[in-house]
Amino acid sequence: MPDLHGRTAIVTGGNSGIGSHTARELAAHGAAVVLACRNTELGQAAATRMAGSVRVAELDLASMTSVRRFGEEWDGSLDLLINNAGVMAPPRPAVTEDGFERQFGTNHLGHFVLTGLLLPALVKSGQGRVVTVASITHHGGTDAVLDGNMGLPYNPQRTYSNSKLANLLFATELHRQLVAHELPVVSTAAHPGVSATGLVRDREGMGANRFMRTVGPVFVKLFTQSAAAGARATLYAATEAEPGSYTGPQVLGETRGRIGAARLSPQAQDEKLARRLWQVSEELTGFRYDWDAARL
């Protein structure tokens, strides 16, 4: 990890799991870190356990009102945006405040709009970087991602996989757009492998099932790597990785171990699909990136 003094970073969902470990390391290396999270009480508790400059701000990615308020109220430049927060595989269908399928709306659309709102601040930095956290489960995603997870009967894992495919399509298309518009911002992506995080306990995700809430944490602790280990790919993508790259663990089917270049599914490499998803995201949210204004 390089010295990060003088840099400002936002970590969505930075109060727990991989996001918390990511924020802690960024702060430990000198960055001024903002934990952008839905539950600010949990955020404040997490901040007290971190050394360095750490503050908490309210951000609910399942609410476009909250996303827009956060983005529009941001003041000053921004060096690093970690699009980390997410919800995983709730057993029953649910929608966001704006009527989007919850996983697609939270994991993808919330970050899509947030990044666009913060783009001028990232450009102002002169060395802005966006890291979007995806998952090896994106390999289960299909072209149905264009339906925003609303076009097929609900399946928890399929909808999660599609939301993670959307994360990757967004990260790669953002990279292409930044290059085309000659903006001084880098877009990268990373995945943590399989790590012991609070997602299996989250009552809005897998933790809505009592059995998973009870047994899941025991399973992941015994058979997966730690959340701290899972954060390494994100930290590398945030500091060293090449523009447009995708980083993840390299051992046992990319579930753990040393980090390096991660594999993209054929769908994640489909530029036409990425462009179409970008258009769909604009249509659903009513938000369009203003590339020219970002230069001002």
Side-chain angles (χ1 to χ4, degrees):
M1 289 282 291
D3 178 60
L4 299 174
H5 282 87
R7 300 193 184 187
T8 301
I10 294 172
V11 183
T12 67
N15 60 294
S16 64
I18 290 169
S20 176
H21 287 283
T22 301
R24 179 181 291 111
E25 288 300 313
L26 293 173
H29 286 80
V33 177
V34 178
L35 307 182
C37 47
R38 181 183 56 205
N39 188 320
T40 54
E41 289 185 9
L42 292 178
Q44 293 291 354
T48 61
R49 298 190 292 270
M50 300 179 189
S53 174
V54 183
R55 67 181 179 90
V56 178
E58 183 178 3
L59 172 64
D60 183 357
L61 288 160
S63 164
M64 286 298 160
T65 298
S66 177
V67 171
R68 287 177 180 272
R69 180 170 59 244
F70 182 96
E72 291 166 359
E73 291 180 355
W74 182 263
D75 186 33
S77 65
L78 175 64
D79 302 288
L80 181 58
L81 172 62
I82 309 288
N83 289 327
N84 164 83
V87 59
M88 182 172 69
R92 290 176 294 278
V95 296
T96 69
E97 178 182 290
D98 305 280
F100 307 124
E101 189 278 318
R102 191 167 191 87
Q103 294 179 88
F104 186 80
T106 303
N107 301 355
H108 169 59
L109 291 177
H111 284 126
F112 175 84
V113 174
L114 177 68
T115 303
L117 289 168
L118 293 173
L119 184 60
L122 289 159
V123 171
K124 186 177 181 180
S125 158
Q127 56 184 355
R129 180 174 287 243
V130 180
V131 180
T132 301
V133 179
S135 167
I136 55 175
T137 63
H138 88 272
H139 287 275
T142 70
D143 293 2
V145 67
L146 296 178
D147 292 329
N149 279 338
M150 300 294 278
L152 295 171
Y154 183 74
N155 176 285
Q157 190 56 53
R158 181 176 60 215
T159 55
Y160 181 66
S161 294
N162 277 337
S163 74
K164 294 286 103 178
L165 173 59
N167 286 153
L168 272 175
L169 291 169
F170 166 64
T172 55
E173 182 61 18
L174 178 62
H175 165 67
R176 287 187 287 268
Q177 294 282 356
L178 290 167
V179 171
H181 290 90
E182 300 181 336
L183 294 177
V185 179
V186 168
S187 173
T188 65
H191 79 79
V194 180
S195 306
T197 72
L199 281 176
V200 295
R201 296 190 301 272
D202 185 355
R203 290 175 180 267
E204 293 187 3
M206 296 178 70
N209 181 296
R210 182 180 297 178
F211 176 80
M212 284 302 302
R213 195 163 63 243
T214 304
V215 176
V218 177
F219 175 85
V220 296
K221 186 174 183 179
L222 289 174
F223 298 104
T224 68
Q225 64 181 354
S226 67
R232 287 193 294 240
T234 301
L235 291 167
Y236 182 80
T239 55
E240 301 291 340
E242 291 295 316
S245 62
Y246 179 39
T247 302
Q250 302 292 289
V251 180
L252 294 176
E254 296 190 4
T255 61
R256 65 185 67 196
R258 66 186 184 281
I259 59 172
R263 292 185 302 111
L264 292 160
S265 71
Q267 286 81 6
Q269 299 176 62
D270 187 335
E271 294 187 20
K272 290 183 179 179
L273 183 62
R275 287 195 296 271
R276 182 62 185 127
L277 177 65
W278 192 283
Q279 294 169 350
V280 167
S281 301
E282 289 181 334
E283 292 164 4
L284 289 173
T285 63
F287 180 85
R288 284 171 171 74
Y289 280 54
D290 191 337
W291 304 104
D292 292 330
R295 292 191 176 89
L296 302 179

